[in-house]
Amino acid sequence: MADSTAPSWQGRTDGTTWMHRWLIQSLKVLPLGFVYLGAELFVVPVYMVVGRQGFNAQYHFFRRRLGMGRTKAFLHVWRNHCLFAQTVLDRFYLFAGGKFHVDVTGDEIYSRLAQGEEGFVVMSAHIGCYEVAGGMFNASKPFHAVVYQGESETIQQNRRRMLGTHHISIIPMAKDMSHVFAINNALANGEVVSIAADRVFGSPRTLACRFFGSDARFPLGPFALAAQRSLPVVFVSVMKDRPKHYHIYIERLDEGIDPSEPIRRRAALLAQRYATSLEAIVRRYPTQWYNYFEFWDMEKGKQ
């Protein structure tokens, strides 16, 4: 465990409020595949040219971490950008009332925990399209999703409306750290808290984990939170198999960790298990990890 100057993620969905509203209305009448095609022809090439930081981060990932040649790495970057555009559009399609077919692996893990009295933590990542899993969390136990507060008003309003239909509430990440109190209160009440654990939001407190053959930094907060309360932890990934079809994978991370171990040790074990599970799902769906900064920042400048 160590402090780090790892880069913080400042991501948000591009576009103005009126553009987002227009897109939602358009997806109520236009075929989703037609909108995909428009994005791939007119939007993706622009982002690959002007978004050099994101392009380089993905290219370096495929070259250095997955050992691809230059041409294959470039084609995977292209595919990654196309799938990211589809994921963004899928989110707006949900806002417009659209539906997806969803398969679930590990549903019994979540159901068993949801029926218990104890709260637990759901960890996700910036892979696939997490919003598609909303219906799966529609259980008797209250569910709270910790989300980035910098999104546009349209996205925040529609996200609240959509998740509200599944009885999911939102805890916005705040600069004054007030979200920490909301998270602690929810867990103390035996409820569920969901948080993405593959981004460092400006905090210097990180954990070094083995990830794709090298050390990478993950945020300490989510893992320390679970370890401090000795709570169950599950990793949920929602991956796109084909148009309008997603597959949810659920995995338990905390089993076998000795609760008598120091909190820091348990947090580090949880973080490494999370990193290992994230690596496994990314290797299975290599173009669906939407990471657009140099995750292995200590390797900047290497070719």
Side-chain angles (χ1 to χ4, degrees):
M1 182 179 304
D3 288 346
S4 170
T5 56
S8 61
W9 180 72
Q10 303 295 333
R12 56 174 290 155
T13 305
D14 287 339
T16 62
T17 296
W18 75 264
M19 290 172 62
H20 294 160
R21 290 175 177 169
W22 174 84
L23 182 57
I24 292 170
Q25 294 303 315
S26 297
L27 285 168
K28 291 181 179 180
V29 294
L30 294 177
L32 188 56
F34 176 79
V35 184
Y36 284 170
L37 180 61
E40 292 180 12
L41 290 176
F42 302 108
V43 179
V44 169
V46 174
Y47 271 82
M48 290 183 68
V49 172
V50 303
R52 295 303 300 175
Q53 176 180 329
F55 176 92
N56 289 338
Q58 279 291 317
Y59 182 76
H60 292 158
F61 168 67
F62 291 121
R63 289 277 286 150
R64 300 171 184 169
R65 297 293 126 214
L66 296 184
M68 295 180 182
R70 288 184 173 87
T71 300
K72 187 175 182 180
F74 176 83
L75 292 175
H76 274 68
V77 174
W78 166 264
R79 181 60 177 161
N80 170 267
H81 279 65
C82 289
L83 283 171
F84 181 64
Q86 290 184 20
T87 296
V88 172
L89 290 171
D90 286 350
R91 183 184 306 158
F92 282 95
Y93 183 68
L94 286 168
F95 294 162
K99 303 293 183 183
F100 293 94
H101 178 82
V102 179
D103 295 320
V104 184
T105 298
D107 181 49
E108 69 284 354
I109 296 174
Y110 185 88
S111 297
R112 183 167 58 251
L113 290 173
Q115 291 167 8
E117 295 183 1
E118 188 177 31
F120 61 97
V121 179
V122 173
M123 292 190 180
S124 62
H126 291 80
I127 53 178
C129 186
Y130 191 61
E131 285 88 347
V132 171
M136 188 197 72
F137 302 133
N138 190 5
S140 57
K141 187 181 287 292
F143 189 102
H144 307 271
V146 181
V147 302
Y148 178 61
Q149 197 174 20
E151 288 284 17
S152 73
E153 179 183 350
T154 301
I155 289 180
Q156 292 189 56
Q157 288 178 349
N158 280 279
R159 181 184 276 159
R160 286 192 179 93
R161 176 183 56 79
M162 182 187 71
L163 295 179
T165 62
H166 301 301
H167 308 291
I168 298 173
S169 63
I170 285 178
I171 299 178
M173 295 188 72
K175 291 183 178 180
D176 63 4
M177 303 302 288
S178 59
H179 60 278
V180 175
F181 298 102
I183 292 170
N184 280 318
N185 287 338
L187 293 173
N189 291 332
E191 300 169 357
V192 186
V193 171
S194 171
I195 185 168
D198 65 334
R199 292 291 188 271
V200 178
F201 286 90
S203 172
R205 303 184 68 195
T206 61
L207 291 159
C209 299
R210 202 68 179 170
F211 188 52
F212 282 96
S214 186
D215 286 342
R217 296 287 174 177
F218 290 83
L220 168 64
F223 306 104
L225 178 73
Q228 186 175 25
R229 292 183 174 273
S230 297
L231 293 172
V233 179
V234 296
F235 174 55
V236 175
S237 49
V238 187
M239 313 308 295
K240 185 165 188 161
D241 280 336
R242 54 186 182 274
K244 293 191 178 182
H245 192 122
Y246 278 83
H247 198 125
I248 300 173
Y249 300 89
I250 305 171
E251 181 182 355
R252 186 84 179 258
L253 298 182
D254 63 294
E255 290 183 322
I257 295 180
D258 187 350
S260 66
E261 290 269 13
I263 292 176
R264 288 179 173 240
R265 170 65 176 163
R266 283 184 280 132
L269 289 171
L270 282 172
Q272 184 56 65
R273 289 187 178 185
Y274 171 85
T276 300
S277 294
L278 177 58
E279 177 175 337
I281 199 70
V282 172
R283 286 189 181 277
R284 187 169 181 177
Y285 297 88
T287 54
Q288 290 192 49
W289 185 37
Y290 305 123
N291 169 66
Y292 298 114
F293 68 89
E294 298 287 355
F295 204 83
W296 293 266
D297 61 305
M298 68 287 292
E299 295 190 359
K300 282 181 179 179
K302 290 186 179 181
Q303 300 300 321

